[in-house]
Amino acid sequence: QSALTQPASVSGSPGQSITISCTGTSSDIGYYNYVSWYQQHPGRAPKLILYDVFNRPSGVPGRFSGSKSGNTASLTIYGLQTEDEADYYCSSYTTSSTHVFGGGTHLTVL
Amino acid sequence: EEQLVESGGGLVQPGGSLRLSCAASGFTVSYNYMSWVRQAPGKGLEWVSIIYSGSSTYYTDSVKGRFTISRDTSKNTVYLDMNSLRSEDTAVYYCARGLVRGLSTYYAMDVWGQGTTVTVSS
């Protein structure tokens, strides 16, 4: 049950786009299309922003987009806004019927 | 409004026990799967345990044999019983609901509580 691999930090300017990668194995990301992404602001609970790789819950802006290729999933945020500055976590269902999170990526909006 | 409220956290000595509760409102816990996720100070999220609507349960390796997840449908509450606690169990513990849309269950968590803090220290 090793954690998924994410970059520790990414940054971008308002209006720009960024992409956060999330690498797993053939037992999680590579096996299922059950990748989800969460946004967490300091001191707050996580918030679901994408599920099943690219689906957005109601209320999540279309600026948030997801994709997957092989064992790697990606979150892309278009048109960065200052309120997007937060920690982002990927997660996947696994062949062991468990879930696994990535280590998290801190997004700085410069 | 669908809401989760955790309670039961606190300071406990190594080797001790604690029971966390997660009270749900606005939905029925037995219709969704429910998870516990923890976050150690300054660290990332770690999935801990899950209970499905059919009552099957799973755990991350580090808590197997020490933690037990359960639910009481009459109280609409999910529990996490934690035994043989270690310093590395120190974290904020979140309760989260599995996403359900109609008859479909998705492997994502769409409602989260505010968390309860567990500190294991002598």
Side-chain angles (χ1 to χ4, degrees), chain B residues 21-97:
Chain B
S21 299
C22 170
S25 57
F27 71 98
T28 304
V29 295
S30 57
Y31 292 166
N32 299 74
Y33 70 81
M34 300 293 295
S35 279
W36 286 95
V37 176
R38 67 185 179 184
Q39 187 168 33
K43 301 297 184 182
L45 301 175
E46 180 186 21
W47 179 83
V48 175
S49 181
I50 192 169
I51 182 166
Y52 287 97
S53 55
S55 297
S56 56
T57 59
Y58 296 89
Y59 303 88
T60 191
D61 286 345
S62 63
V63 309
K64 279 181 185 175
R66 300 189 299 123
F67 290 12
T68 303
I69 189 171
S70 62
R71 66 179 176 227
D72 184 334
T73 55
S74 67
K75 296 182 178 179
N76 210 28
T77 298
V78 176
Y79 301 98
L80 186 67
D81 288 299
M82 306 185 296
N83 298 311
S84 303
L85 282 163
R86 307 166 181 168
S87 57
E88 54 263 38
D89 297 318
T90 294
V92 174
Y93 284 73
Y94 294 101
C95 174
R97 183 185 79 170

Side-chain angles (χ1 to χ4, degrees), chain A residues 1-2 4 25-34 71 92-100, chain B residues 47 52 58-59 64 107:
Chain A
Q1 291 180 335
S2 299
L4 307 175
T25 69
S26 57
S27 297
D28 38 66
I29 293 178
Y31 196 90
Y32 296 110
N33 287 325
Y34 298 147
N71 295 340
S92 176
Y93 185 64
T94 81
T95 55
S96 301
S97 302
T98 60
H99 293 242
V100 62
Chain B
W47 179 83
Y52 287 97
Y58 296 89
Y59 303 88
K64 279 181 185 175
Y107 294 102

Side-chain angles (χ1 to χ4, degrees), chain A residues 27-110:
Chain A
S27 297
D28 38 66
I29 293 178
Y31 196 90
Y32 296 110
N33 287 325
Y34 298 147
V35 177
S36 52
W37 289 88
Y38 301 85
Q39 177 191 64
Q40 186 181 35
H41 287 104
R44 304 293 298 274
K47 173 188 175 183
L48 177 66
I49 57 173
L50 292 175
Y51 65 96
D52 285 7
V53 178
F54 54 76
N55 290 299
R56 288 185 306 275
S58 59
V60 175
R63 305 185 292 105
F64 293 88
S65 178
S67 63
K68 192 194 91 166
S69 178
N71 295 340
T72 299
S74 299
L75 165 68
T76 299
I77 307 175
Y78 298 95
L80 275 176
Q81 298 184 3
T82 54
E83 59 262 37
D84 296 334
E85 183 160 307
D87 294 325
Y88 291 83
Y89 295 89
C90 59
S91 179
S92 176
Y93 185 64
T94 81
T95 55
S96 301
S97 302
T98 60
H99 293 242
V100 62
F101 281 96
T105 298
H106 182 71
L107 168 61
T108 301
V109 181
L110 303 168

